Amino acid sequence: MKHSQTGPTFVLHLAGQPKLRVYHIFFLTSLLSLLSLFGFQWFNGTPPSEMAHIAARCQSLSIAAGPPTTFNPSHRIKQGSDRHVVGTQATLILNARIWTGADNGTEVIYGDLLLDKGLVLAVGSISSDLLATVQKTSGTIQTVDMHGKWVTPGLVDLHSHIGLSSAPSLRGAADTNSRKAPILPWLRSIDGLNTHDASYELAVAGGVTTAQILPGSANNIGGQSFLIKLRPTSERSAISKVLEPPKTLVANQTSDHLHWRHMKHACGENPDSVYSQSRMDAAWNFRQAYEAARKVKESQDAFCARVQKIQRKRWWPWSSQQVFEGEFPEDLQWESLVDVLRGRVKLSIHCYEAVDLDAIIRLSNEFKFPIASLHHAGETYLVPDLLKKAWGGVPSIALFASNARKKREAYRNSEFAPKVLADSGIPVVMKSDHPVLNSRYLLYEAQQAHYYGLDAALALASVTSTPAKAAGVDHRIGFITPGYDADVVIWDSHPLALGATPLQVYIDGIAQIVKPHALVKPERLQKVPKTPNWDREAQQAVEYEGEPPLRGRIVRLPTSTAKKVVKFVGVKSVWMRDDNGHVHALFDEDKERTEGRTVVILDGSVLFCGEGDEHGPCSGELFDEVIDLQGGSLAPGLTTFGSPIGLVEIRLEASTTDGVVIDPLTEGKVPGIVGGDDTIIRAVDGLQFEGRNTLLAYRAGVTQAITAPLANGFLAGLSATIDTGASSAVQKGAVIQDETALHISISLNLGISVSTQIATLRRLLNNSTSEAWTRVRTGAIPLVVNVDSADVMATLLNLKAEYEVSSSNTLRLTFSGAAEAHLLADEIGKAGVSVILTSPRPYPGYWEERRFLPGPPLSRDSTLTALLARNVNVAVGVRDEFNARNTRFDIAWAALESNGTIGKAQAIALATTHLERALGSRSVHDLVIYLGGSIFDLESKVVGVVSLQRGTVEIF
Ligand SMILES: *[C@@H]1O[C@H](CO)[C@@H](O)[C@H](O)[C@H]1NC(C)=O
Ligand SMILES: *[C@@H]1O[C@H](CO)[C@@H](O)[C@H](O)[C@H]1NC(C)=O
Ligand SMILES: *[C@@H]1O[C@H](CO)[C@@H](O)[C@H](O)[C@H]1NC(C)=O
Ligand SMILES: *[C@@H]1O[C@H](CO)[C@@H](O)[C@H](O)[C@H]1NC(C)=O
């Protein structure tokens, strides 16, 4: 600091007048004191500019972050938004159902919405005077009539790595984590923000308008995060995206208040594995860092106390040494953490387990800092009272809906956590962790939370107002209120209805989708889904600490006597499959709930009771079980493919899995004792039953899985088809087919050339002596190639043709993954190749997927519809085992996205007959019982599975 060098000169000057008379001194000091009122502080020995600077600096320590107390949305209307883009047309949205976020998310206004100058100007009934004024100042108003469509605030994704973990993922833009040390509060996510990430446009197309860009979780303190608006800016810079940039980021900011700062911390497995440290080490990392920050803070406070003392003394003429010694204590590395201690940072802490939550909450009390939000936070629902002990108030809890169990600390995650936490009065946020989940489908997380019991108002708030509040920006986003940012989304259905898709998205009043492809949605999706009752399941999730029993009650179906039968009443729709590979509706009353019909399960068969069937099996006395489905449905059990379900329990805990096969192409020799490089591994030899993902899938109507060996390289092995409800491999029918198909991957990401992979395939196809290849060669089993690039698919189509000409055999070829398959839809169709889309809502995660088809509203077609239009046998699968349970939502969503071109029977076929055809698998015909709705909606719940093969009905 300059003052410490120049100070002594002034001391000498004052001290050099000892002979002055008292009244002189009195007169002089009084004058100086008076002048000091006007900012002249040179009497005290430090240059006035420095003095003012230091005083202001000290004073600023007590400024709270957030909007100034005088902040008022109606004042903003006069000025326009700081983000207003000159030239933006005013927009009038007519006849909308506007969910405003007000009244705890219960307010819905039927009316109009006026956007101008980057702000919401008016909501509801808009006066012609106001319209005239806007027209005068802003020119023509763009008017859109929404005919009663739903409108919400733009979605706020509280946990995103957009721009850091970019799409497509490339070595040159991997800026999510520094791996230099566990404690790095001085790093800033904005410094790594890739402005060319393909995800911005996609997230916006899903209605997400603002996201918090968090550094990754490789460090205990990974650095500072920032909120950005996701729209492109004319400046094209990273900084121009930042919402309310803090002073520390934009040096010349002149505002009289401090914007909130944001920071990321992480506990648990991620940082511990990167730094080979234990939880104890992590806790010490935090305490050491906070102690360093506390020391800086205390010396600042002590320094400023001295400044204050001197400033007070300046009124007294006899005070002598009016000089500051030393510099304002500052440390660029710790200043952000000092601001945490000053309560000016919204902390986002990645923390799963009770043990970690406890440590972090003790830390907050030891060093006295508030926690804005706890993220992932899988076990928070088990410890609500602990959360309430956090210093400075209970944090918001940012959750996934159903993404769980991939690592140990996520094993006890529960789909009921949002409901349980909300019941304890704890604010719930749903987040994407983009690209872990595609931010574009953030709303799906809220839909699932609602499905599993979170109140509708809180579910909508969980992706709008609650995250806005947790990030300290609820004075301008997260609500639709006059004076708020004009970030709004118009939806094609109720936002909590499955598949809700934006018709248009406005950010700062600017329409973001240039040419939206609108879907036509059924009327029943325009209202809040009437979700099932999960009270028992939610209570059990807590009681069993995240490991509730998942088996149901078994009712044996009689084989000889017709004495015991199971009868369902109130059945509204029944879907069945026949032996020719077709799914059809036995009845489907797609009307308002009628009483429904009666179905009887007897003697290994399903019987539909007509009116007047009072005798025989339909009559009153014979039943062991009578279950009222309340307008429910019976549908075929679905099949899942694409994940290692049945081979892994906790994917990242090797000791809970079958393990990864050795790939002779990319990893070296397969040991001779195994049989050498031509050995083909069979998934059937590594099966595990009754895993949680498996049983959760089963309980969600997915009764079969086709699972290939877990592989990271070229060669996987033979898949098996299993019954997800079986209890062990020795149970009759547990393994439906022990060798289903042969699986390989061909990818630009394998670390060996694609041409080498193709050469290997050609050799194996022509010359491998192994029995599996012999069967592939003759078309006895399909060859399933995991492939995304259209160029690789083209090469494979050529190879298939070449092979078939030379061998006169037919190669049964299936592409799985197949992100770019639509580019070759015609050729794939003509070659009779099946396609399994393991990402039915695709994302260009890698270069070889970058030419994917985004689907509505960005394109008319989806990959699925493009392939179906060319008569390709298309099926859907999953990549992650946790997602197997969501198969019925995936097929329902695919049908909705097809704009009516995929009927209900065909939608079921996508995860049954089409999939089995693509993989050459056998099927047993299970029936799944849905209560309160159909297989396709967020209103029904699986309450049982009829396994004719096992001769049981399992009732949940
Ligand atoms: C919103 O909810 C809170 C907490 O449950 C309650 O205290 C408050 O009165 C509610 N406000 C409105 C407007 O309903
Ligand atoms: C300084 O602030 C002004 C006004 O906010 C802004 O226009 C200008 O770009 C800023 N300069 C820099 C270097 O950030
Ligand atoms: C490999 O297969 C090709 C084509 O079927 C055949 O012509 C060739 O003789 C085979 N080579 C060996 C070593 O078996
Ligand atoms: C859906 O169908 C409607 C009516 O047939 C049509 O206007 C609209 O363009 C279609 N949208 C898409 C995405 O195909």
Side-chain angles (χ1 to χ4, degrees), residues 833-896:
V833 171
S834 292
V835 173
I836 305 168
L837 300 171
T838 48
S839 263
R841 294 177 299 283
Y843 174 74
Y846 290 99
W847 185 258
E848 61 191 359
E849 302 169 282
R850 77 192 184 287
R851 296 176 292 179
F852 80 115
L853 197 52
L858 295 177
S859 64
R860 189 177 59 88
D861 268 318
S862 65
T863 320
L864 191 71
T865 56
L867 291 168
L868 282 173
R870 300 299 173 153
N871 298 316
V872 178
N873 175 50
V874 195
V876 302
V878 297
R879 292 189 178 182
D880 292 299
E881 51 279 12
F882 82 82
N883 238 339
R885 69 185 307 190
N886 294 325
T887 300
R888 72 186 180 101
F889 301 139
D890 288 341
I891 58 174
W893 195 336
L896 290 168

Side-chain angles (χ1 to χ4, degrees), residues 143 148 162 236 270 276 281 377 388 509 551 579 649 659 691 693 716 755 810 879:
T143 303
I162 212 165
R236 299 201 176 101
N270 292 12
S276 312
D281 294 306
K388 290 174 184 168
R551 294 274 20 170
D579 295 326
E649 182 61 359
N693 287 309
S755 38
T810 302
R879 292 189 178 182

Side-chain angles (χ1 to χ4, degrees), residues 435-449:
V436 172
L437 300 181
N438 184 351
S439 185
R440 179 176 176 186
Y441 304 114
L442 175 63
L443 188 60
Y444 180 41
E445 296 303 288
Q447 290 163 0
Q448 291 174 76

Side-chain angles (χ1 to χ4, degrees), residues 198-275:
S199 317
Y200 295 115
E201 185 192 6
L202 300 174
V204 170
V208 182
T209 55
T210 302
Q212 176 174 213
I213 310 305
L214 291 163
S217 51
N219 323 88
N220 292 124
I221 301 186
Q224 298 158 44
S225 54
F226 298 87
L227 298 175
I228 65 168
K229 292 258 187 130
L230 297 179
R231 72 171 167 85
T233 61
S234 56
E235 196 183 289
R236 299 201 176 101
S237 64
I239 188 71
S240 60
K241 291 179 183 291
V242 178
L243 177 67
E244 300 207 337
K247 259 195 165 107
T248 45
L249 189 64
V250 184
N252 75 348
Q253 210 176 77
T254 53
S255 66
D256 56 353
H257 67 285
L258 293 176
H259 291 145
W260 281 105
R261 302 178 73 179
H262 300 85
M263 195 188 282
K264 170 85 178 277
H265 290 4
C267 331
E269 288 183 21
N270 292 12
D272 290 355
S273 66
V274 170
Y275 291 100

Side-chain angles (χ1 to χ4, degrees), residues 545-558:
E545 300 199 350
E547 298 184 69
L550 296 175
R551 294 274 20 170
R553 181 166 55 85
I554 307 284
V555 178
R556 300 229 146 262
L557 289 176

Side-chain angles (χ1 to χ4, degrees), residues 57 308 458 468 515-516 588 622 653 733 808 820 954:
R57 185 111 197 229
Q308 218 180 23
L458 294 180
K515 186 177 173 288
D588 171 24
L622 296 166
E653 290 288 349
S808 9
E820 296 187 344
E954 185 162 355

Side-chain angles (χ1 to χ4, degrees), residues 516-521 855-862 865 896-901:
H517 295 270
L519 293 168
V520 175
K521 292 289 177 69
L858 295 177
S859 64
R860 189 177 59 88
D861 268 318
S862 65
T865 56
L896 290 168
E897 217 181 41
S898 78
N899 209 26
T901 61

Side-chain angles (χ1 to χ4, degrees), residues 290-320:
Y290 272 98
E291 180 62 6
R294 190 187 63 79
K295 283 184 176 154
V296 175
K297 175 178 179 285
E298 283 191 354
S299 57
Q300 288 176 348
D301 291 345
F303 177 87
C304 289
R306 280 198 289 125
V307 170
Q308 218 180 23
K309 210 162 136 198
I310 289 167
Q311 278 187 303
R312 267 203 307 271
K313 273 188 186 168
R314 74 189 180 201
W315 298 101
W316 302 103
W318 50 85
S319 68
S320 54

